Amino acid sequence: GSRNLIINGDQKIWQRGTSFTTITSADYCCDRWRVQHSGLDGNIDVARSTDVPSNKGFYYSQKVSADASETSLDASDLVMIQQVFEGQDLQHLLKGTSDAKKITLSFWVKSSVASTYTIELKDNDNSRTISKSYAISSANTWQYVTLTFDGDTSGSFTNANTGSLIVAFWIDAGSTYTSGTMTTAWQAQVNADRIYDTTGWAESTSPEFYLTGVQLEVGEQATPFEHRSFGDELIRCQRYYYKTVT
């Protein structure tokens, strides 16, 4: 089966390497996952980690950290992890029709800062967004999260290999993205409405954020994580990046 739309959800494929310091914004480190950041005082680092939730079948997580805390979070500062999806792989969601399907995102997460974080779905073709918040109640503790998003009856995805949908795990952001009211229903993108609030992550000392076991599937119920073979996952990743070893 292929019910999980996420590629490399268990962070097992790292063709480019396993440790990256001072990354450029939108760099891909862990295959299919890019890390966006802007305006932070410290540098953002990404690494493959063996810190994972116990007895769930995962061996790796993606660790995002900052090498210095933010003295004062500026309005446009941000840091997030994203995965981008081709529109031709999303036509079965029936977006833009009266039968648009709900989708459920599930994942394991751990952060050094207990706070309320945000997941955003962004329709890149029509500049529409929807967001959901979730609480990390205990710092440095693995937590399982499930969130269900309504289908969008407006704006279809382009049936092509262009990036139509972005799933964003917001780690922190300034007032440019928090000053409005977070939208929990699909609407035209308004920056001020994109996330719930500043989390305090960037202003904390030695902040860390871990992610693994990410699954996105049709329906309102999160099912157990779809563990695919290493070879299957590698082939999916190689559509976007192929490293030749000599």
Side-chain angles (χ1 to χ4, degrees):
S2 296
R3 66 182 185 277
N4 189 4
L5 297 174
I6 296 284
I7 297 176
N8 202 24
D10 53 0
Q11 327 288 301
K12 69 172 64 170
I13 310 297
W14 294 71
Q15 294 186 86
R16 298 168 177 83
T18 58
S19 182
F20 306 84
T21 58
T22 315
I23 69 165
T24 302
S25 183
D27 270 0
Y28 284 86
C29 302
C30 181
D31 276 65
R32 296 305 304 129
W33 296 97
R34 71 183 185 189
V35 178
Q36 294 266 24
H37 63 88
S38 177
L40 301 180
D41 294 340
N43 297 308
I44 295 297
D45 304 327
V46 176
R48 187 178 72 181
S49 173
T50 55
D51 186 342
V52 293
S54 299
N55 302 320
K56 301 301 177 183
F58 304 117
Y59 196 76
Y60 295 120
S61 64
Q62 180 176 184
K63 173 187 174 184
V64 177
S65 59
D67 63 7
S69 59
E70 190 78 2
T71 54
S72 179
L73 197 67
D74 297 325
S76 59
D77 290 353
L78 63 85
V79 58
M80 70 175 87
I81 306 172
Q82 300 176 323
Q83 184 158 144
V84 183
F85 300 82
E86 297 178 37
Q88 63 189 4
D89 292 332
L90 304 173
Q91 297 304 305
H92 63 295
L93 300 183
L94 303 180
K95 189 175 183 300
T97 75
S98 58
D99 295 319
K101 296 182 179 180
K102 295 185 178 184
I103 53 178
T104 295
L105 181 72
S106 56
F107 55 95
W108 286 90
V109 65
K110 184 172 87 165
S111 177
S112 59
V113 177
S115 190
T116 300
Y117 293 80
T118 299
I119 301 294
E120 177 192 47
L121 305 187
K122 180 181 177 183
D123 169 2
N124 222 27
D125 293 328
N126 303 284
S127 295
R128 293 172 61 79
T129 64
I130 185 173
S131 298
K132 295 267 187 176
S133 64
Y134 66 97
I136 293 181
S137 54
S138 299
N140 301 311
T141 302
W142 280 104
Q143 180 173 322
Y144 182 63
V145 177
T146 68
L147 299 169
T148 298
F149 295 83
D150 287 336
D152 187 10
T153 57
S154 298
S156 61
F157 290 131
T158 302
N159 186 29
N161 65 355
T162 50
S164 291
L165 177 68
I166 299 174
V167 175
F169 292 75
W170 286 80
I171 299 174
D172 208 354
S175 61
T176 295
Y177 308 99
T178 66
S179 57
T181 300
M182 186 187 74
T183 175
T184 57
W186 284 100
Q187 69 169 32
Q189 180 179 315
V190 177
N191 274 340
D193 298 343
R194 293 177 70 179
I195 74 169
Y196 177 80
D197 203 356
T198 297
T199 62
W201 186 90
E203 294 178 284
S204 68
T205 302
S206 301
E208 296 177 345
F209 187 92
Y210 297 80
L211 181 68
T212 195
V214 186
Q215 183 153 288
L216 182 67
E217 57 194 313
V218 175
E220 300 180 59
Q221 181 67 44
T223 62
F225 183 81
E226 182 181 53
H227 288 277
R228 296 190 282 249
S229 71
F230 184 93
D232 189 5
E233 210 70 71
L234 177 61
I235 289 171
R236 294 168 189 256
C237 292
Q238 285 176 333
R239 173 171 172 77
Y240 304 96
Y241 177 81
Y242 185 90
K243 182 177 180 179
T244 300
V245 180
T246 58

